[in-house]
Every structure is written in structure tokens, then in C-alpha cells.
Amino acid sequence: MEKVQYAEIQNHEEKAFQSYLKSAEGGNSYGQSNLGCCYENGIGTTKYEEKAFHWYLKSAEGGNITGQYNLGHCYQHGIGTTKDEKKAFQWYLKSTERGNIDGQNNLGDCYRNGIGTTKDEEKAFQWYLKSAEGGNSYGQFNLGRCYENGIGTTKDEEKAFQWYLKSAEGGNVVGQSNLGCCYENGIGTTKDEEKAFQWYLKSAEGRDSNGQHNLGYCYHNGIGTTKDEEKAFQWYLKSAEGGNVVGQSNLGFCYKNGIGTTKDEEKAFQWYLKSAEGGNIICQYNLGHFYQHGIGTTKDEEKAFQWYLKSAEGGNSYGQSNLGYCYENGIGTTKDEEKAFQWYLKSAEGGYSYGQYNLGNCYENGIGTTKDEEKAFQWYSKSAEGGNIVGQSNLGCCYENGIGTIKDEEKAFQWYLKSAEGGNSYGQYNLGYCYENGIGTTKDEEKAFQWYLKSAEGGNSYGQYTIGHCYENGIGTTKDEEKAFQWYSKSAERENRYGQNAVEYLYRNERGITKIKRNIDNLMQDTKNDDIKDHSFCCICWKENGCSKICINYYQNFGLCHDCGNLNINKNICINCKLIEISYLSKWTSGDYEIDKIIRMSQLDENAKEWEIWRWIDYSEFKNIEYLAEGGFAHIWKAEWIDIPEELFGFYNSNQVALKKLKNSQQTSFEFLKELLVNFYCRDKYILPILGITQDLKTKEYAIVLRYMKNGNLINFLQQNKTLPWKERIWLLNSFIRGLSLIHSKGFIHRDLHPGNLMITEAHNNSKFIRLGDLGLCKPVNEILSSGTYGVLPYIAPEVMNKNKYTKASDIYSVGIIMWVISTGKIPFEGESYDPGLAISIFNGYRPKIHKGTPKCYVDLMEKCWDNNPTERPSAEMIFNTLEVWIRDLSYFEKSENALIFLNADQNMQNIDSELLYNGTTMFKTHLISQPLMQHSLAIHESFSKLDINNYVDKINLDDHPNCMIFEKLKFSN
């Protein structure tokens, strides 16, 4: 049916063409005009513009006003002839002389736009008026536009509306679109969005691209109709395909944001490109943005600059502002702050609030112009009053700090509040700061926290860092190190230096990295055994089917059944039932009551952290057992723990462990249990963690299962990292001192501090830290010692060598020598025998030689630590506080005095051949093994008493003392 209908139409057009041809050839001017129209549009014949022009010319010369109008149209647009606007104007003029309303409208266009004549808006208005009064719908539309915009006449929106109405009712789709705009915005009439929608619909259905775009906009925003993004997309698409640059722009927006269609940035880019090439200055700006950030296309800053330039030259204030940004930062062009300033100025004068903000920033910081804080304040004010949330934040900053205006904290607070409520992350951060510190408002840490959180969630790296700080320290919220770590990490990912340093700090201290859910049942490895699950055991004596009479009489209120999980470590255990309990516990413990009791104490501590929980581990769970080294009281092995609990593996990121097999420990001894108890009381992340206890099935030796520290001990690490930056050295010392401070705070003395007991590993971000190990010689501060001196000679305090007097200060002496090792990477008293002669020299004040270039503040602290007088030595806490200040300065204040000292030392170290700087001999095993150096203390003290040590040492050359014969008489006992 369609093919037949098309054939009929085609046949009809051919007949019309033949009729017009005969008429034209017969000299009829109307026929000639119509024949030209057929040739121009291919009606009933092949399209042929030159013939169209020929017949229009004949018709025009014959006096036909329609032919004259059409001939003018040909000359204006170069149809079938050379384009000639002056001739176009002349023929339009001829057409109007005889009342052609189409010609009158086009003549108005010529006068309005200066086409073929001098531009004259008043004459344009007069000709539009004639055309409109003659009933031409285009003339009526153009007359309405003149009244709306005051072109050639006084602005009169009511008359504009009336003429748009006449044009629209006459079927003019452009007039219908503009009439819809009048109803939408209340121009010359009462605002009526439903009527606006109806007129846009008529225009759109009439294929007017503006009407199609406006109809899409109505559907997009629910103006006069139900919101429907899919219909919005479809009408934008029709408008765009019809060549409407605004429709193309909005279609690109739909593709960019997935409005009414699938998100597709490449298609968004293509439509923005079409619109931009069509001269749309907003799309030229958008296209620049796409090229700048590589959205939907390859990132190309030069093209971004070019499109911003087009947009800016076209008068778009957005483009002008971004062009200024390109010049300011050298994006796609040579950096030129003066040009940046000029374009910001254009944008600002054009009323763009971001341009005003940027201009204020230029004046504040002297970018491309003379610094002028008062002008900065003025432009920030304009930007802020224009609703720009960034400008509001900066205006608040001006009031807070008195920049370009009188300081006024209350106004600062108010502008921060406006900025924050508008969603600006910097304003939210600054508002939080005001609440935290009571600036311009009442101090309120909870509100501070809430605004910091909004800023952080908005992606502000300073807000993210600060919210991490709040969680870490419990400011306005509950303290939560895991959340602190997460927010610090977000800040660090945005390259915020404070966030990066905070992450490093937490990593090195293993804080907040993970939060492990405690489950006591999982700690008891065999509780899933069916034989156990099906029975009920008393939580006091663990006896099945009830307790003994003694339990019932004396302990019945001490707990509930084991199946309910309510274990109570604080209650006493029935002595008579102890063997029954051990029999039960042997399924998951050692079977030794004292060991099991300590293990259970760690497991049932509700406040225990993941690194504080101990387990009995069956030796069969270890594989790839490898011998590592020998200590003074134990052999050290490395192994893989096959069934390491998931929470431990997640925290340590490894299933490798160290086994400290205690010599001659087939039976539990008092000393072994004391070591376990000391470790139990000193459980902390800064002490080398005990993960559990086991027993070698073959040798029957007990072994402590420790965290494996893959970087070895301190001296090994330093010899492999000879040019370690000073910041890293201080971090190592800091992590060591944390552990020692903990031991001292618990009322213990370590007594055996040396590099062999300082074990190093790395956090997830490769940050290295020390964990202090080997608490076997730890004693309570108030315990009176009767045994001899143990340890590694250079690290033993003088007063200990003399009278076996161990104190916290004697540990600090060891710290001083370890500081020297950290500063040099060498062993102390290298090349000298560790013999009585060296002991006497140390007692008399002999110390390792301080290397040139060691920072003075470090030297001062080190010398205080190894001072001969124990009372002059600082406490571990004092050392820790000093190290924290150094780390803070190196991390956050690189221009501070402390930071510069260490940074300069790093620079000097790089200028010296590391082989010359760190060419010490290899550390022998005996240098790190603790030994009983003065078992025969009476004989030693007699030797000391027979000699006036101070007078004797004063007479010898300390550099040569190893060769002196007197030291042969004072050998240490093995």
C-alpha cells in the first residue's frame, strides 16, 4: 500500500513539474517561480540548483514578487549562483515594494544582521512589523523577539508575548517554541508550565529543533509534565540530530551522566564535539574539560587549552576562568601568570563566581599581579555573595585571619557555615576547625567531628586526615584506631603529606591495621570434637556429670557450664579436681598445669589484643623447620605454622614463626615459668610477641613460639643497609624504646639489652620497626639479685659490672650504646677483646668513638644515656618523648631546627663513600650472645678492691689497653 501511495505522489509531482514547465516556457512568472522551486528541491525532477536560479531570475525580472524573494534567497545563500548579499538585499527590497510579507521578514533580517546593507535595528523592526501585520508567522516571531529584547524598539514583554502567540497560532514552530518559553518563565504573561509544555510539544512535533530541545528539558526536569528521563533523552536526540547545538550539548550531558540512557562517555564526547564545532561556547568549555581530564577521549592538555580558548574568546565566563587556570598552571600551554590574571579578570567581570574566586586568589597571593589583600577580599566577597561555596570558604578565611579586612571570627564562622552547608569540603573542614577550637562559636568537639566527617566524605584530604586524627584520639567521637587508619589511608591516597605520615606512623606501630574478632571457642582447638560437644562439663573442675563434693560445697557459685561459654579465669579451681581438669585440657593444651594456666590467662582476658593471645600448639603443626642461631640460653629455629589462625595470618601477613627452644627444658623449671610470666605481664605489640608454646616431640624440649622477624636482628640489618636515612634510624630507635618503656612501666628491668635482642621486620608498607625480645633475664625492679652479671660486655652498665646493681638506669646505659650502633652500623669497641681490661676502661668512662657527622642533638641524648652516673641518665619515657618530637619534625616540619640537622646529616652521608663510612668487621656470633661474665664475682671484686682502678686507668693509653699484661690477671670466668 505504501509503495502504491508513493508512486501516486511521485506521479503527481511529475505532472506538476510538466505543468509548471509549460507555464514557465510560456512566459508566466508564477510558473517560472514554481518551476525554480521544483528544480531547487527536486520536486518531479532531478534537483538542479543552477536551473532553479535561472527560472527564479526570469520570474523576478518579470515582476513576480515571489520570484524576487526566492532570487534574493539564492543570492544570500549561494544557491545556483555565487553568493552575493548585496544582490540578495536588493531583490528582497524589490519583493517588499509590492507587499511580499516573506520578503519583508527577510529584509528585516538583513537590517538586523547587516546583510548586504548597513546594520539598522530600527529599520529591521519596521520591516518585521510590516511582515507581521501582513500575517507572516516568521515576521510575527521576529517582531516578538524585537519586543522581548528591545531590538529597534522599546522592550515590551507583553507585546512580545502577543506576537509570539500570533506566530504560534499561525503554525510557526519557532514561534510555538518561544511562546512555550514565555509561559515557562512568565515573560509577558502569567507563568504556566503546563501551557509551556503543550506549546513545546507542538513545536517539537513540527520538527523544530529548539522545540524538541525544550521539550526534552521539560521531561528532564518535570516542567509541566511528569519527569521522564528516557523521553527527555529521546527529544534531546531528535534535537541533536536536527543540528541544534544546545540539543547536542544536552544529549552529551545525558550520555555523560547516564540520564535516560546507558552512561557512555565516548558518545558524550562525540556530541559535545559536534556542539562545540557548531559554535556552542558552553560545549567548547565542556570539550576542554573532557580533553583536560581524558573523559571519553585520550587526555590532551593542548586540545583542552584550545577549546577553552575558543570558549573564552566567545565570551563564556566558564571558559575564561578555566583558560586562566591553564595559563596559571601551564596546562596545554606555557605558564603565564599575567595572562592567567587577565582571563580571570574577564571571567570575574562577566559575573562568574569561580572567576571572581580565582581573581581573589591572584590578588591574595600576587599571581600575575601585585599582591593586594584588600582587592582579594573584595573579589572573594563578590564570589561569596554570588553563592560560590569556595569563595565563601575563602572569605571566611579572610575574616578569621584579618586578610584584607578587620579580623572578625564570628563572620568567619558564618561564611564557613554557608560554604559548608553548600557542600564545599574546605568550608566543612574549616567549620569543623571552628567548632573544635571555639573560633567564632562555642567549642563543640562533636559538631567539629561531624563537619570533619562531611569534609572527609566529600573527598577533602585534609578532612580525611583530621577525621583520622579524631578517631585516633577520641575527639568528638569514640576512639577507634582502625577507622583512624582507614581515613588516614584515604588522605594518603590523595597524596596528602599529613595523611601519608600518619599512615606511616600507624604502620610502624602496627596500630589500626586490622580489627580481629575474638572468639574464645576458636582458641580452644579441639572443642569441635564430637566427644566434647555432646557432654556438659563444669567450668570449675571440668568434670563430666557434676563436681566433687568439695566443688559443690565451696565453688558452686564460681561459674556456669562450659557449653554456655561463660568461663571465669578469676575464680579458683578445685584442687581435688585439678587432675581431672588437666586430663580434659590435654586435648588442647600441654597437660602441664602451670603452663596451661598461663595460656588460659591470656585466652580468657576479654581485653586481650590479637598479639596478646597465647596457644598450646602441637609440634606436628610445624613444617620446614630450619635452624637459625644459638643464644645464651636457647637455640633459635624458623618454621611454618601450618594451621596458623586466620586472624594472626591476617595481622602478620605470614605463617612463618620462630621457635625458641630452651636448653635443658625437658621439664618445666622455675626460671622457664618466670620467663613466661614476665612475657605475660609485658604482653604488648612493641614486645616480640609470643604466639604460643610447644614441645619438640623428639627432644622433649619446650619451645616458645614467637613472631618471625624476617629482617633479623639490628646489627645484621644495619650491616645490610649502610646508608640508612636518619629518619629511618630514629624510627628504629623509637620502636625499640616503646618496648623498653612498656617493660619499665610494668615494674621490670630487661638486664640484657643488645642488638641481638632487637629484632626487625617490616609492616605492610615496607616500613621497618624493632620488636624487643628475650625477656628471659627480666627481673622486677625491687628484686635483690644474688647471681652474677650476664650479658654482652659493651652494653653492660659500669655499676652493674662493679656491684651487679641492676636498675632501670642500667637498661638506659645499654640504650646509649645501642644508639651508637644505630648511628654507625658498627659493633662497639671493634677489634678489641671483650675482657676485664675493657670492663675496667668502661667503668672509668671509656666509650665508643662518636663518628663525625652524627647530629649533635642525637649525640647529646646518647651521651646522657651512657653517662657514668646512673642518676644523670634519662628515663625511657623521656627518650621516647624526645624521639617523638624528632619524628614529628622530620615528618611535618622539614624546615624546623631538628629536621634540618638530620637532613643535613643525610646529605653529608651521601657525600661520603659508604664503604669508607661503614667498613666495620663482620659481627661474630659471640658479640651478640649473653654470657655469665662475672660468675666468680667475689674474685672480681677482690681484684677491683686491690687496684685503684681510677688511678690505674688514668696512667694507661686506652687505645692500647688490650695489650697490657695486667688484664691477663683479670680474665672472666666461662
Side-chain angles (χ1 to χ4, degrees), residues 11 103 108 111 127 139 162 202 279 399 477 530 542 572 577 592 601 748 766 773 829 831 903 923 929 957:
N11 185 51
Y111 277 117
W127 283 110
Q162 292 300 325
K202 286 183 182 289
Y399 277 118
T477 188
D530 292 338
W542 299 85
N572 293 328
C577 297
D592 183 286
M601 287 170 64
F748 291 95
N766 297 322
F829 308 116
L903 292 173
M923 173 71 77
I929 296 177
N957 184 339

Side-chain angles (χ1 to χ4, degrees), residues 922-942:
T922 303
M923 173 71 77
F924 294 106
K925 291 182 180 179
T926 54
H927 287 95
L928 294 179
I929 296 177
S930 299
Q931 299 181 24
L933 301 180
M934 295 184 180
Q935 286 182 341
H936 303 292
S937 57
L938 181 60
I940 295 298
H941 288 310
E942 287 179 353

Side-chain angles (χ1 to χ4, degrees), residues 162 230 428 472-473 485 598 646 670 674 696 873:
Q162 292 300 325
E230 291 185 5
Q428 292 165 343
E472 183 182 3
N473 298 285
F485 179 82
I598 296 174
E646 182 180 349
F670 177 72
K674 282 188 69 175
D696 190 326
R873 299 171 196 160

Side-chain angles (χ1 to χ4, degrees), residues 49 65 118 162 191 230 265 285 396 404 427 560 627 670 885 972:
E49 292 184 348
I65 56 176
T118 304
Q162 292 300 325
K191 186 174 181 178
E230 291 185 5
E265 291 184 344
Y285 160 80
L560 300 175
Y627 178 78
F670 177 72
V885 171
F972 289 96

